[in-house]
Amino acid sequence: MTRRRRMFDIDVPAEEVISPQSEVDASNRRGPMATAVRENAEALRARQAVEDRIRVENDALAHEHVRLKKAGLILDMIPTQLIDSTKLVRDRSSAPDESLDELKASIMAIGLSNPIRVEKKADGRYELIQGSRRLRAFAELEAENGDGRFSHIPAGYVAAGDALATSYRRMVDENLVRKDISFAEMAALARAYVADEGTDCEDIDKAVATLFRSAGYQKRSYIRAFVELLDMLGEALAHPEAIGRNLGLELRRRLDGNPAAVARVKSLLTGAPGRTADQETALLRGFIDAVEPARPRAPVSKSGRRAKTSLRIASARGEFRCLAANGRLDLRGPSDFADVDPRRLEAAVSELIAALGLDRPDDG
């Protein structure tokens, strides 16, 4: 009987379960090259994050710089030799300025408290927008001292590319708040604005309205009156800035529509070469006094009161009636005067008072 061979059983161990921690341990056992690659990637990501943050901060700073520059709040010390005054016709007369010495003394003592404003040009130079007297004071101080202290002037930047009318308004509005700028200087600026080829203004009324928008209607009417005065006398006036408001308005009224009177005033002025401002205004006052007729007294009634004067004036709207009496002037007509713009009404009444010569003290 054949004996069957016995087979041996082989015990195979159960499959080992690898825990997550074992996988982490395995990853930590990577080679040096893999570790270096991983660390380099992490460093690049950190560097990129820093660069992104810096870029955002720089963009914010750049936008803030542009905003401050447009607002004229960015200041710099600019060489006075690099500043031009050719873009704008200045609203200041070139006549000697006695108050400039006071400004220079103040700058010497405490420095310049109000920087000028300039516009940077493509050629690296600068165009003056505001501050002609301050720039002139620095130039004179540098010429007098020559030590370099006044070779640079504090300046704020205005945005390049501003419309010409905007640049004129910046200059004019700054000087409107000052009491020493004369009506003749403002009138001269309005005339120059019309003559400037860089503007699209061909009408003096539009020029006055554009440049002196911040001024009231009454003041603009005075400026227009001085424009007419400058048109009539022109270069015969050596010191137009010295002419006061009342003198200028009266002079314009006397000369308007009277070529012979204009010729007479010009003859008076040209006959006094080298005259001072006071001498010129004395000549103009003398002309007015010479042609001023004695104002006749209104007839007096038996009761001792002045008689009334009644006028009828025809117009396209109908008839207006004017009644003048002692201390009283009434105007009636087919219009509602309450609908008239108060500023226009005020200007018209002021011109009427000036035209009647009632704005001067009664010396009789």
Side-chain angles (χ1 to χ4, degrees):
M1 186 174 183
T2 306
R3 211 170 173 181
R4 295 183 65 180
R5 194 177 227 180
R6 197 169 185 185
M7 303 294 294
F8 295 96
D9 294 331
I10 300 175
D11 294 330
V12 179
E15 183 176 354
E16 182 180 0
V17 178
I18 302 175
S19 66
Q21 182 62 37
S22 299
E23 292 182 354
V24 172
D25 295 340
S27 64
N28 291 334
R29 292 194 300 272
R30 291 175 181 172
M33 181 63 71
T35 300
V37 169
R38 184 192 65 196
E39 291 176 350
N40 186 58
E42 292 175 352
L44 288 176
R45 284 194 296 271
R47 179 177 178 179
Q48 185 64 45
V50 172
E51 290 179 352
D52 290 343
R53 187 171 64 254
I54 293 175
R55 188 177 297 109
V56 170
E57 292 176 354
N58 288 342
D59 289 344
L61 290 173
H63 283 90
E64 181 66 6
H65 179 83
V66 171
R67 184 187 70 81
L68 293 174
K69 189 173 182 180
K70 287 184 176 180
L73 300 177
I74 299 296
L75 301 181
D76 198 358
M77 296 296 292
I78 296 177
T80 57
Q81 297 296 325
L82 295 182
I83 302 176
D84 301 321
S85 302
T86 56
K87 179 178 179 179
L88 306 179
V89 177
R90 311 317 300 183
D91 57 351
R92 286 289 183 183
S93 169
S94 58
D97 186 352
E98 296 179 358
S99 64
L100 192 65
D101 290 336
E102 298 177 2
L103 176 59
K104 290 161 59 177
S106 173
I107 293 173
M108 287 280 290
I110 62 174
L112 186 64
S113 58
N114 185 18
I116 66 172
R117 302 191 75 184
V118 298
E119 177 183 282
K120 192 168 185 178
K121 300 194 292 185
D123 61 0
R125 296 182 64 84
Y126 303 88
E127 184 64 44
L128 180 67
I129 303 299
Q130 292 172 294
S132 60
R133 291 181 73 250
R134 283 162 277 171
L135 179 60
R136 182 177 169 186
F138 262 72
E140 291 190 8
L141 285 171
E142 177 60 22
E144 294 168 3
N145 294 276
D147 55 8
R149 286 183 297 159
F150 304 101
S151 62
H152 291 63
I153 186 170
Y157 294 102
V158 300
D162 273 353
L164 191 60
T166 302
S167 296
Y168 269 108
R169 283 291 308 280
R170 290 184 189 276
M171 175 183 66
V172 169
D173 284 355
E174 180 183 50
N175 284 332
L176 273 179
V177 301
R178 302 175 57 165
K179 302 301 183 184
D180 57 345
I181 185 168
S182 68
F183 282 101
E185 288 173 311
M186 291 185 280
L189 177 62
R191 296 173 75 210
Y193 185 78
V194 173
D196 194 330
E197 296 180 355
T199 70
D200 59 354
C201 181
E202 299 180 355
D203 179 74
I204 197 67
D205 288 338
K206 181 180 177 182
V208 172
T210 299
L211 294 174
F212 304 101
R213 191 177 305 167
S214 301
Y217 182 86
Q218 180 72 72
K219 192 168 189 176
R220 293 199 299 271
S221 70
Y222 292 156
I223 297 171
R224 287 192 292 268
F226 271 79
V227 168
E228 296 175 11
L229 181 63
L230 295 182
D231 288 341
M232 288 185 282
L233 296 181
E235 299 299 324
L237 290 170
H239 307 282
E241 72 283 350
I243 301 176
R245 184 194 67 182
N246 291 341
L247 175 60
L249 294 177
E250 180 63 19
L251 191 60
R252 192 267 301 191
R253 184 178 74 85
R254 295 286 177 181
L255 300 181
D256 189 25
N258 192 341
V262 172
R264 183 178 174 186
V265 172
K266 286 185 175 181
S267 177
L268 286 172
L269 295 175
T270 56
R275 61 192 177 276
T276 64
D278 290 340
Q279 290 171 337
E280 182 166 283
T281 55
L283 288 172
L284 297 176
R285 292 185 187 280
F287 164 78
I288 292 177
D289 293 340
V291 300
E292 175 71 42
R295 287 177 287 174
R297 298 285 183 178
V300 180
S301 65
K302 294 181 179 179
S303 63
R305 296 181 179 179
R306 296 185 186 277
K308 297 179 180 179
T309 300
S310 180
L311 302 174
R312 295 176 182 268
I313 304 171
S315 73
R317 290 192 177 186
E319 184 180 79
F320 287 81
R321 298 182 63 184
C322 179
L323 179 64
N326 185 17
R328 178 180 175 186
L329 181 66
D330 292 336
L331 180 63
R332 300 183 182 185
S335 297
D336 186 355
F337 294 105
D339 290 338
V340 179
D341 183 351
R343 292 176 298 178
R344 294 185 59 193
L345 185 61
E346 179 185 6
V349 173
S350 296
E351 290 195 8
L352 174 62
I353 293 173
L356 294 176
L358 302 177
D359 57 340
R360 300 187 304 276
D362 190 350
D363 53 6

